[in-house]
Amino acid sequence: GLRHGCGTYVYPNAYFTYEGDWDRGQKHGQGKLSMGDGSFYEGCFEKGEIQGEGSRSWPDGVVYKGQFQLGEKHGYGTLTSEEGATYVGTWSRNKRHRQGTLTDPDGSVYDGQFVAHKQNGRGAFKDADGSVYNGDWADGIRHGTGQMTWSDGTTYDGEWSEGSIDGRGLCKSGERAYEGLWSS
């Protein structure tokens, strides 16, 4: 017969163990899937797939709590890395995507848009030294237009290319200001 109700199943390869709800032979409802390396998923299953709200923990200390689709981080969730970095925001197929906040262990914070796991679009970055950049990003680096305020109070408002000041902009430092073209 088919597994139905609540129970434990140890897979033939003994690497996987499932404890939880079954419906007509499929994992369905709440359950816990444990792996032989010490990692596990605990949460919702739908028709045999990891689907909906749950949490995934790895042996190195990485923890993700949030939404899953077909076994992948997908939707809204929080991931804390083994080093203590935290990402809170949306995911698409296991990658940071759309809006989120990434906080590094040193206290630096990026709040903005992501595409395929990288800062992309508009975002604000506050460095651990107090410097703040607010502007465009492409493939994880400052690129486009943006405003930077360094910890010493110097400001730059203008164009950036591949992570560097490059193009038209205005820089102010104390009583001095320069507006014009910049080259990296």
Side-chain angles (χ1 to χ4, degrees):
L2 296 174
R3 289 181 277 290
H4 195 79
C6 189
T8 300
Y9 178 71
V10 178
Y11 286 73
N13 67 10
Y15 184 79
F16 297 102
T17 301
Y18 175 75
E19 301 172 60
D21 298 330
W22 294 87
D23 185 28
R24 292 180 280 255
Q26 294 185 324
K27 299 179 290 289
H28 192 83
Q30 293 295 309
K32 180 176 182 179
L33 181 64
S34 301
M35 280 61 91
D37 65 358
S39 63
F40 64 90
Y41 166 81
E42 191 166 12
C44 293
F45 289 82
E46 189 174 305
K47 296 180 182 174
E49 296 289 344
I50 293 173
Q51 186 84 10
E53 293 286 328
S55 65
R56 176 88 160 85
S57 296
W58 289 265
D60 61 6
V62 174
V63 176
Y64 171 79
K65 292 180 181 181
Q67 297 172 324
F68 289 84
Q69 183 177 43
L70 299 175
E72 296 184 324
K73 297 180 289 286
H74 193 87
Y76 189 82
T78 300
L79 183 129
T80 303
S81 75
E82 67 273 17
E83 299 90 17
T86 302
Y87 173 77
V88 179
T90 54
W91 295 80
S92 178
R93 304 183 75 192
N94 281 335
K95 296 185 189 263
R96 295 184 292 258
H97 194 70
R98 293 194 182 125
Q99 191 67 30
T101 302
L102 178 62
T103 305
D104 286 327
D106 68 1
S108 60
V109 177
Y110 171 83
D111 184 27
Q113 297 171 324
F114 289 84
V115 173
H117 225 51
K118 294 181 180 179
Q119 296 95 327
N120 228 326
R122 296 292 293 177
F125 177 76
K126 182 175 183 182
D127 203 329
D129 70 3
S131 299
V132 177
Y133 172 80
N134 191 348
D136 296 328
W137 295 78
D139 291 327
I141 57 174
R142 297 171 184 124
H143 190 85
T145 59
Q147 302 82 39
M148 179 82 175
T149 302
W150 284 270
S151 55
D152 68 359
T154 301
T155 63
Y156 173 79
D157 186 353
E159 297 173 342
W160 294 74
S161 180
E162 299 179 0
S164 298
I165 293 171
D166 193 9
R168 183 158 294 283
L170 170 64
C171 183
K172 294 180 182 177
S173 181
E175 298 296 316
R176 298 186 333 229
Y178 173 79
E179 185 170 13
L181 291 177
W182 295 81
S183 180
S184 54

Coordinates of all heavy atoms in Angstrom, one line a residue, residues 103-143:
T103 N 23.4 42.4 5.3 CA 24.2 43.0 6.4 C 25.4 42.1 6.6 O 25.3 40.9 6.9 CB 23.4 43.1 7.7 OG1 22.2 43.8 7.4 CG2 24.2 43.7 8.8
D104 N 26.6 42.6 6.5 CA 27.9 41.9 6.7 C 28.3 41.9 8.2 O 27.8 42.8 8.9 CB 29.0 42.5 5.9 CG 28.8 42.2 4.4 OD1 28.3 41.1 4.1 OD2 29.2 43.0 3.6
P105 N 29.1 40.9 8.6 CA 29.5 40.9 10.0 C 30.2 42.1 10.5 O 30.1 42.4 11.7 CB 30.4 39.7 10.1 CG 30.1 38.8 8.9 CD 29.6 39.8 7.8
D106 N 30.9 42.9 9.6 CA 31.6 44.1 10.0 C 30.6 45.3 10.2 O 31.0 46.4 10.6 CB 32.6 44.5 9.0 CG 32.1 44.9 7.6 OD1 30.9 45.0 7.4 OD2 32.9 45.2 6.8
G107 N 29.3 45.1 9.9 CA 28.3 46.1 10.1 C 27.9 46.9 8.9 O 27.0 47.7 8.9
S108 N 28.6 46.6 7.8 CA 28.2 47.3 6.5 C 26.9 46.7 6.0 O 26.6 45.5 6.3 CB 29.3 47.2 5.5 OG 29.6 45.8 5.2
V109 N 26.1 47.6 5.4 CA 24.7 47.2 5.0 C 24.4 47.7 3.6 O 24.7 48.8 3.3 CB 23.7 47.8 6.0 CG1 22.2 47.4 5.5 CG2 23.9 47.4 7.4
Y110 N 23.9 46.8 2.8 CA 23.4 47.2 1.4 C 21.9 46.9 1.5 O 21.4 45.8 1.9 CB 24.0 46.3 0.3 CG 23.3 46.6 -1.0 CD1 23.7 47.6 -1.8 CD2 22.3 45.7 -1.5 CE1 23.0 47.9 -3.0 CE2 21.7 45.9 -2.7 CZ 22.0 47.0 -3.4 OH 21.4 47.2 -4.6
D111 N 21.1 48.0 1.1 CA 19.7 47.9 1.1 C 19.3 48.3 -0.3 O 19.4 49.5 -0.7 CB 19.0 48.7 2.1 CG 17.5 48.6 2.2 OD1 17.0 47.5 1.8 OD2 16.9 49.6 2.6
G112 N 18.7 47.4 -1.1 CA 18.3 47.7 -2.5 C 18.0 46.5 -3.3 O 17.6 45.5 -2.8
Q113 N 18.2 46.7 -4.6 CA 17.8 45.7 -5.6 C 18.9 44.7 -5.9 O 20.1 45.1 -5.9 CB 17.3 46.4 -6.9 CG 16.1 47.3 -6.7 CD 15.8 48.2 -7.9 OE1 16.7 48.6 -8.6 NE2 14.5 48.4 -8.1
F114 N 18.5 43.5 -6.2 CA 19.4 42.4 -6.6 C 18.9 41.8 -7.8 O 17.7 41.7 -8.0 CB 19.5 41.3 -5.5 CG 20.2 41.8 -4.2 CD1 19.5 42.5 -3.2 CD2 21.5 41.4 -4.0 CE1 20.1 42.8 -2.1 CE2 22.1 41.8 -2.9 CZ 21.5 42.5 -1.9
V115 N 19.8 41.3 -8.6 CA 19.4 40.4 -9.8 C 20.5 39.3 -9.8 O 21.7 39.6 -9.7 CB 19.5 41.2 -11.1 CG1 19.3 40.2 -12.3 CG2 18.4 42.3 -11.1
A116 N 20.0 38.1 -9.8 CA 20.9 36.9 -9.8 C 22.0 36.9 -8.8 O 23.1 36.7 -9.1 CB 21.4 36.7 -11.2
H117 N 21.6 37.3 -7.6 CA 22.5 37.2 -6.4 C 23.5 38.4 -6.3 O 24.2 38.5 -5.3 CB 23.4 35.9 -6.4 CG 23.5 35.2 -5.1 ND1 22.4 34.9 -4.3 CD2 24.5 34.8 -4.4 CE1 22.8 34.3 -3.2 NE2 24.1 34.2 -3.3
K118 N 23.4 39.4 -7.2 CA 24.3 40.6 -7.1 C 23.5 41.9 -7.0 O 22.4 41.9 -7.5 CB 25.1 40.6 -8.4 CG 26.1 39.5 -8.5 CD 26.9 39.7 -9.8 CE 27.9 38.5 -9.9 NZ 28.7 38.7 -11.2
Q119 N 24.1 42.9 -6.4 CA 23.5 44.2 -6.3 C 23.3 44.7 -7.8 O 24.3 44.7 -8.5 CB 24.3 45.2 -5.5 CG 24.5 44.8 -4.1 CD 25.8 44.1 -3.8 OE1 26.3 43.3 -4.6 NE2 26.3 44.3 -2.6
N120 N 22.1 45.1 -8.1 CA 21.8 45.5 -9.5 C 20.6 46.4 -9.5 O 19.5 46.0 -8.9 CB 21.5 44.2 -10.4 CG 22.2 44.2 -11.7 OD1 22.5 45.3 -12.2 ND2 22.6 43.1 -12.1
G121 N 20.7 47.6 -10.0 CA 19.5 48.5 -9.9 C 19.9 49.6 -8.9 O 21.0 50.0 -8.8
R122 N 18.9 50.1 -8.2 CA 19.1 51.1 -7.2 C 19.3 50.5 -5.8 O 18.7 49.5 -5.5 CB 17.9 52.0 -7.1 CG 17.5 52.9 -8.3 CD 18.5 53.9 -8.6 NE 18.5 55.0 -7.6 CZ 19.3 56.0 -7.7 NH1 20.2 56.1 -8.6 NH2 19.3 56.9 -6.7
G123 N 20.3 51.1 -5.1 CA 20.5 50.6 -3.7 C 21.4 51.6 -2.9 O 22.1 52.5 -3.5
A124 N 21.4 51.4 -1.6 CA 22.1 52.2 -0.7 C 23.1 51.3 0.0 O 22.7 50.2 0.5 CB 21.2 52.9 0.3
F125 N 24.3 51.7 0.2 CA 25.3 50.9 0.9 C 26.0 51.8 1.9 O 26.5 52.9 1.7 CB 26.4 50.4 -0.1 CG 27.5 49.7 0.6 CD1 27.3 48.4 1.0 CD2 28.8 50.3 0.8 CE1 28.4 47.7 1.7 CE2 29.8 49.6 1.5 CZ 29.6 48.3 1.9
K126 N 25.9 51.3 3.2 CA 26.6 52.0 4.3 C 27.7 51.2 4.7 O 27.5 50.0 5.2 CB 25.6 52.3 5.4 CG 26.3 53.1 6.6 CD 25.4 53.4 7.7 CE 26.1 54.2 8.7 NZ 25.3 54.6 9.8
D127 N 29.0 51.7 4.6 CA 30.2 50.9 4.9 C 30.4 51.0 6.4 O 29.8 51.9 7.1 CB 31.4 51.6 4.2 CG 32.5 50.6 4.1 OD1 32.7 49.7 5.0 OD2 33.3 50.7 3.1
A128 N 31.1 50.0 7.0 CA 31.4 50.0 8.4 C 32.1 51.2 8.9 O 32.0 51.6 10.0 CB 32.2 48.8 8.7
D129 N 32.8 52.0 8.0 CA 33.5 53.2 8.4 C 32.6 54.4 8.4 O 33.0 55.5 8.7 CB 34.7 53.5 7.5 CG 34.4 53.9 6.0 OD1 33.2 54.0 5.7 OD2 35.3 54.0 5.2
G130 N 31.3 54.2 8.0 CA 30.4 55.3 8.0 C 30.1 55.9 6.7 O 29.2 56.7 6.5
S131 N 30.9 55.6 5.7 CA 30.7 56.1 4.3 C 29.4 55.5 3.8 O 29.0 54.4 4.0 CB 31.9 55.7 3.4 OG 33.1 56.2 3.8
V132 N 28.7 56.4 2.9 CA 27.4 56.0 2.4 C 27.4 56.2 0.9 O 27.7 57.3 0.5 CB 26.2 56.7 3.1 CG1 24.9 56.4 2.5 CG2 26.2 56.4 4.6
Y133 N 26.9 55.2 0.1 CA 26.7 55.4 -1.3 C 25.2 55.1 -1.5 O 24.7 54.1 -1.1 CB 27.6 54.4 -2.1 CG 27.2 54.4 -3.6 CD1 27.7 55.4 -4.4 CD2 26.4 53.4 -4.1 CE1 27.3 55.4 -5.8 CE2 26.0 53.4 -5.5 CZ 26.5 54.4 -6.3 OH 26.2 54.4 -7.6
N134 N 24.6 56.0 -2.3 CA 23.2 55.8 -2.7 C 23.1 56.0 -4.2 O 23.3 57.1 -4.7 CB 22.3 56.7 -1.9 CG 20.8 56.4 -2.1 OD1 20.4 55.6 -2.9 ND2 20.0 57.0 -1.3
G135 N 22.8 54.9 -4.9 CA 22.7 55.1 -6.4 C 22.6 53.8 -7.1 O 22.0 52.8 -6.6
D136 N 23.1 53.8 -8.4 CA 22.9 52.7 -9.3 C 24.0 51.7 -9.1 O 25.2 52.0 -8.8 CB 23.0 53.2 -10.7 CG 21.8 54.1 -11.1 OD1 20.7 53.9 -10.5 OD2 22.0 55.0 -11.9
W137 N 23.7 50.4 -9.3 CA 24.6 49.3 -9.2 C 24.4 48.4 -10.5 O 23.3 48.3 -11.0 CB 24.3 48.4 -8.0 CG 24.5 49.1 -6.7 CD1 23.7 50.1 -6.1 CD2 25.6 49.0 -5.8 NE1 24.2 50.5 -4.9 CE2 25.4 49.8 -4.7 CE3 26.7 48.2 -5.9 CZ2 26.3 49.9 -3.7 CZ3 27.6 48.3 -4.8 CH2 27.4 49.1 -3.7
A138 N 25.5 47.8 -10.9 CA 25.4 46.8 -12.0 C 26.4 45.6 -11.6 O 27.6 45.9 -11.4 CB 25.8 47.4 -13.3
D139 N 25.9 44.4 -11.6 CA 26.7 43.2 -11.4 C 27.5 43.4 -10.1 O 28.7 43.0 -10.0 CB 27.6 42.9 -12.5 CG 26.9 42.4 -13.7 OD1 25.8 41.8 -13.5 OD2 27.3 42.7 -14.9
G140 N 26.9 44.0 -9.0 CA 27.6 44.0 -7.7 C 28.5 45.2 -7.5 O 29.2 45.2 -6.4
I141 N 28.6 46.1 -8.5 CA 29.5 47.3 -8.3 C 28.8 48.5 -8.6 O 27.8 48.5 -9.4 CB 30.8 47.1 -9.2 CG1 30.5 47.0 -10.6 CG2 31.7 46.0 -8.7 CD1 31.7 47.0 -11.5
R142 N 29.3 49.7 -8.1 CA 28.7 51.0 -8.4 C 28.9 51.3 -9.9 O 30.0 51.3 -10.4 CB 29.4 52.0 -7.5 CG 29.2 51.8 -6.1 CD 30.1 52.8 -5.2 NE 29.9 52.4 -3.8 CZ 30.9 52.1 -3.0 NH1 32.2 52.2 -3.4 NH2 30.7 51.8 -1.8
H143 N 27.7 51.6 -10.5 CA 27.8 51.8 -12.0 C 26.5 52.6 -12.3 O 25.4 52.1 -12.1 CB 27.9 50.5 -12.7 CG 28.2 50.7 -14.2 ND1 29.5 50.8 -14.6 CD2 27.4 50.7 -15.2 CE1 29.4 51.0 -16.0 NE2 28.2 50.9 -16.3

